Amino acid sequence: EADIYQTPRYLVIGTGKKITLECSQTMGHDKMYWYQQDPGMELHLIHYSYGVNSTEKGDLSSESTVSRIRTEHFPLTLESARPSHTSQYLCASSITGVVKTQYFGPGTRLLVL
Amino acid sequence: DQQVKQNSPSLSVQEGRISILNCDYTNSMFDYFLWYKKYPAEGPTFLISISSIKDKNEDGRFTVFLNKSAKHLSLHIVPSQPGDSAVYFCAASLRRGKLIFGQGTTLQVKP
């Protein structure tokens, strides 16, 4: 099972602030993902990466951006937070192969006031 | 249009009995299916998966059944335990490992 870490776990921030949500994994997985989830709803893919210097937007449009400079690190940045960005953000990773299992971090709960 | 649907938002069962969680999908190109368990304020935990070439996979108390003709999969938990109380998500893999998730079913197992 993957070891995948997210910080911070909880963040309360004012409108207009720039934030970066950190995600790191120690298993050497080549693929990484960011999901957004609201209570009672499905997880929506907002960004994914199939390797270093590879990033793509997911199925749900997001104002956030991501980078993948190192295999183990996949941070998500919001340049100007708004109340509509309030949500839970989940990072996951997986390895290329027949088995498609993604392993998730504990998530970051973001509240924008 | 939602490609993966969990039509039951909640399910309540007695401890020791069987829990059956259902999931329907529309895209016949899905090649891999997974079940995750999620507690509030935590990330999903992988439970069990099944390839589209199989119709059953078992791991301890958890069994997943896949009916491709009906585009339906189910998760059976036997026997159910209070610690199984959580939200369960089914997910399907489409293209290079991307997952499409259902809305989740909240399972409550009563002692």
Side-chain angles (χ1 to χ4, degrees), chain A residues 10-111:
Chain A
Y10 303 92
L11 180 61
V12 181
I13 201 163
T15 297
K17 299 292 186 182
K18 177 180 178 179
I19 61 170
T20 297
L21 307 184
E22 301 288 347
C23 176
S24 295
Q25 49 96 6
T26 59
M27 298 303 291
H29 287 177
D30 53 342
K31 297 181 178 178
M32 295 190 74
Y33 312 84
W34 275 103
Y35 291 87
Q36 185 174 339
Q37 193 220 0
D38 295 316
M41 303 294 289
E42 63 267 45
L43 282 70
H44 289 288
L45 182 67
I46 52 175
H47 297 284
Y48 59 101
S49 167
Y50 288 151
V52 171
N53 295 324
S54 158
T55 61
E56 297 186 48
K57 288 191 177 295
D59 303 320
L60 180 69
S61 175
S62 174
E63 295 167 347
S64 57
T65 59
V66 293
S67 62
R68 189 91 182 276
I69 299 172
R70 303 196 314 267
T71 298
E72 64 272 20
H73 194 214
F74 192 40
L76 180 146
T77 299
L78 273 168
E79 290 292 334
S80 180
R82 294 207 302 268
S84 62
H85 296 138
T86 295
S87 189
Q88 185 180 34
Y89 292 83
L90 295 159
C91 181
S93 70
S94 69
I95 197 163
T96 298
V98 175
V99 176
K100 307 287 177 63
T101 305
Q102 292 181 17
Y103 296 95
F104 284 83
T108 294
R109 277 204 175 273
L110 173 64
L111 173 60

Side-chain angles (χ1 to χ4, degrees), chain A residues 1 9-10 31 33 35 37 40-45 48 50 56-59 88 90 94 98-107 109, chain B residues 2-4 31-34 36 38-46 49 51 87 89 93-104:
Chain A
E1 188 166 328
R9 290 293 311 276
Y10 303 92
K31 297 181 178 178
Y33 312 84
Y35 291 87
Q37 193 220 0
M41 303 294 289
E42 63 267 45
L43 282 70
H44 289 288
L45 182 67
Y48 59 101
Y50 288 151
E56 297 186 48
K57 288 191 177 295
D59 303 320
Q88 185 180 34
L90 295 159
S94 69
V98 175
V99 176
K100 307 287 177 63
T101 305
Q102 292 181 17
Y103 296 95
F104 284 83
R109 277 204 175 273
Chain B
Q2 193 154 9
Q3 299 185 68
V4 178
D31 60 354
Y32 205 79
F33 302 89
L34 307 94
Y36 285 87
K38 187 178 184 298
Y39 295 113
E42 293 185 14
T45 301
F46 169 70
S49 61
S51 166
V87 179
F89 289 94
S93 173
L94 179 67
R95 267 197 350 263
R96 297 185 68 193
K98 289 173 63 177
L99 295 182
I100 309 295
F101 284 83
Q103 310 97 305

Side-chain angles (χ1 to χ4, degrees), chain B residues 9-29:
Chain B
S10 62
L11 174 68
S12 181
V13 300
Q14 208 65 36
E15 180 179 6
R17 307 294 289 269
I18 185 172
S19 296
I20 301 176
L21 297 103
N22 294 303
C23 181
D24 297 300
Y25 61 95
T26 58
N27 194 330
S28 58
M29 298 300 291

Side-chain angles (χ1 to χ4, degrees), chain A residues 98, chain B residues 30-33 50-56 66 68:
Chain A
V98 175
Chain B
F30 287 137
D31 60 354
Y32 205 79
F33 302 89
I50 187 167
S51 166
S52 60
I53 62 173
K54 296 187 176 182
D55 54 20
K56 178 182 175 181
L66 177 62
K68 287 192 293 294

